[in-house]
Amino acid sequence: MKSYRVGMVGYKFMGKAHSHAYRDLPMFFPQVAVPQMKLICGRDESGVSAASAQFGWEGYVTDWRELVSHPEIDIVDINAPSDAHKEIALAAAEAGKHLFCEKPLALTLADTREMLAAAEAAGVKHMVGFNYRFAPAVQLAKKLVDEGRLGEIYHFRAWFLQDWIVDPNFPLVWRLQKEIAGSGSHGDLGAHLIDLAHFLIGDMHEVIGMSETFVKERPLPTSMTGLSAKGSADAPRGPVTVDDATLFMARFACGALGSFEATRFAPGHRCTNSFEINGSKGSVKFDFERMNELQVYFTSDDEDVQGFRRVLATDPSHAYMDAWWPAGHTIGYEHTFIHEVVELMRALGEDRQPIPNFADGVKCQQVLEAVEQSIVQRRWVSINEV
């Protein structure tokens, strides 16, 4: 089986998730191309060298330019902070490397369009990391919509609720700084909801939103790792320059109505990433905290047994599950990344673009910015205006 040599920029939260996917894929999906974990890159030598050994990479570098230009790298995986995505992707495309980039693709719509154009001009494959598409229960929801089993779609409502920064003394991590992250809950959490909506329902026509930053200043951190950080309540403070919560409504091109809520200020919600779809023939409900389940309702059921049924999406008939355990044996968060890399490897082997790719990243960013424009202008904004 053909193999592709991977060079990865970033080694913390997403770096660990991607590394795990590369390592486990050949064991469970032997029929697809094999990712070879060649080089990992990070600015801190002690940190990246430890990650290289722990995660199973062949070697490490501390300058992404060295990785991008390395003759033995076929794929450049970018999961560094968002402000670094564009520069690395443009250089990698120019070097003829295939691209796998975490979301959001870049800080602005103009930058995402530039990245897509560069990848297309270079003729390389490109993928964006919307991993939640790859939960088998989400794939089942997509199947029910596409087959018309839910009928005409009327509503898509989605919410992504977290609580990790409710404490006003939680340090000012990079995700709370617009110049690095691009936006707050909107671009981090809302981007996943937008992509799920595009995947399941289709394009949006217009949006209107509102947002709030509840804690305006936070202590400067002494250290940061993933979603955690250390700092003192007595430390000097810096401004929070992103949203803590953003809500918006949407009209879809198909005629459906949508509502979206993304917040980091929902105490008790660690990672409540959920959606509900209502159609003329039925409905589905999904919650990532119960990621192996899809709640399904059909209006055609006999009246005395009508109601939502719990479908455990672990049978071989469900997407990707024939590679895993016996029916009823569940999978977890890390498996969405394995499935994502399966799609990337299949696409490379079949000489096609993986899905989702940079075009999907551009489309997501277009909605993000249309919502931001609507908040500033306090009106409905057409997606095509942006």
Side-chain angles (χ1 to χ4, degrees):
M1 186 64 64
K2 186 171 183 179
S3 66
Y4 291 90
R5 299 161 298 184
V6 182
M8 188 173 76
V9 185
Y11 62 90
K12 295 189 178 179
F13 178 19
M14 284 296 103
K16 181 179 286 188
H18 287 207
S19 298
H20 175 271
Y22 294 133
R23 289 183 65 175
D24 269 22
L25 181 146
M27 182 185 300
F28 294 94
F29 295 88
Q31 72 277 17
V32 302
V34 177
Q36 182 182 349
M37 299 168 67
K38 196 72 179 176
L39 286 175
I40 185 172
C41 177
R43 290 171 293 184
D44 177 61
E45 184 166 9
S46 62
V48 73
S49 64
S52 176
Q54 179 184 350
F55 300 165
W57 291 83
E58 293 181 20
Y60 70 89
V61 295
T62 57
D63 187 340
W64 63 261
R65 295 169 184 83
E66 181 180 350
L67 181 145
V68 164
S69 62
H70 199 287
E72 295 185 14
I73 296 298
D74 303 309
I75 303 168
V76 173
D77 179 327
I78 307 166
N79 55 78
S82 305
D83 63 331
H85 291 184
K86 175 188 171 182
E87 185 179 13
I88 300 171
L90 294 181
E94 186 176 358
K97 314 296 187 182
H98 302 303
L99 297 163
F100 179 24
C101 185
E102 266 302 327
K103 49 62 57 185
L105 202 53
L107 300 185
T108 68
L109 178 58
D111 285 350
T112 63
R113 285 172 168 159
E114 186 176 351
M115 291 165 68
L116 173 60
E120 290 179 337
V124 298
K125 304 297 187 285
H126 45 89
M127 187 173 194
V128 62
F130 287 118
N131 63 296
Y132 293 108
R133 287 191 182 205
F134 294 92
V138 174
Q139 295 279 324
L140 175 58
K142 170 70 169 173
K143 181 172 180 282
L144 295 178
V145 171
D146 287 353
E147 292 179 353
R149 293 162 73 180
L150 299 183
E152 180 184 354
I153 303 303
Y154 298 137
H155 293 284
F156 179 87
R157 62 184 64 86
W159 53 102
F160 203 148
L161 317 177
Q162 293 183 345
D163 65 356
W164 59 283
I165 59 169
V166 168
D167 181 356
N169 290 318
F170 187 88
L172 185 69
V173 295
W174 69 265
R175 290 179 182 269
L176 306 181
Q177 298 173 286
K178 187 175 180 64
E179 67 272 17
I180 302 175
S183 68
S185 63
H186 185 44
D188 183 21
L189 309 180
H192 280 300
L193 302 180
I194 291 166
D195 181 70
L196 285 172
H198 286 154
F199 176 57
L200 295 165
I201 305 301
D203 291 351
M204 297 179 210
H205 171 61
E206 59 180 352
V207 295
I208 188 169
M210 62 179 178
S211 67
E212 185 58 66
T213 302
F214 300 113
V215 176
K216 313 296 185 186
E217 292 185 334
R218 291 183 177 273
L220 300 179
T222 56
S223 65
M224 292 184 279
T225 303
L227 296 183
S228 63
K230 293 181 180 180
S232 169
D234 299 327
R237 293 180 174 254
V240 176
T241 52
V242 300
D243 59 292
D244 287 330
T246 293
L247 289 74
F248 73 93
M249 296 184 295
R251 292 185 181 274
F252 287 88
C254 68
L257 303 181
S259 64
F260 299 78
E261 178 181 4
T263 182
R264 294 165 171 163
F265 274 71
H269 292 275
R270 298 295 192 258
C271 191
T272 306
N273 178 8
S274 303
F275 64 78
E276 180 169 343
I277 303 171
N278 306 129
S280 59
K281 296 181 180 179
S283 299
V284 294
K285 296 190 291 186
F286 173 78
D287 179 359
F288 190 73
E289 290 183 352
R290 304 179 70 92
M291 65 164 283
N292 291 279
E293 301 176 10
L294 187 69
Q295 298 291 325
V296 181
Y297 171 82
F298 292 117
T299 60
S300 59
D301 287 341
D302 291 338
E303 185 177 353
D304 58 346
V305 293
Q306 279 192 356
F308 279 95
R309 68 190 72 179
R310 167 183 169 270
V311 177
L312 191 62
T314 59
D315 284 4
S317 61
H318 298 121
Y320 301 103
M321 289 308 301
D322 58 344
W324 295 107
W325 317 115
H329 292 68
T330 57
I331 60 173
Y333 173 67
E334 66 275 16
H335 295 83
T336 63
F337 293 95
I338 297 173
H339 300 163
E340 196 171 44
V341 175
V342 168
E343 166 62 13
L344 176 59
M345 293 296 117
R346 282 177 176 166
L348 289 170
E350 297 167 5
D351 192 26
R352 62 172 174 83
Q353 288 296 349
I355 298 172
N357 53 51
F358 281 16
D360 298 286
V362 169
K363 188 161 65 170
C364 179
Q365 190 68 35
Q366 192 172 15
V367 174
L368 289 171
E369 293 197 11
V371 172
E372 291 174 346
Q373 184 173 322
S374 81
I375 293 169
V376 172
Q377 299 178 358
R378 302 178 68 86
R379 67 175 181 89
W380 283 91
V381 172
S382 169
I383 304 302
N384 292 332
E385 289 183 50
V386 181

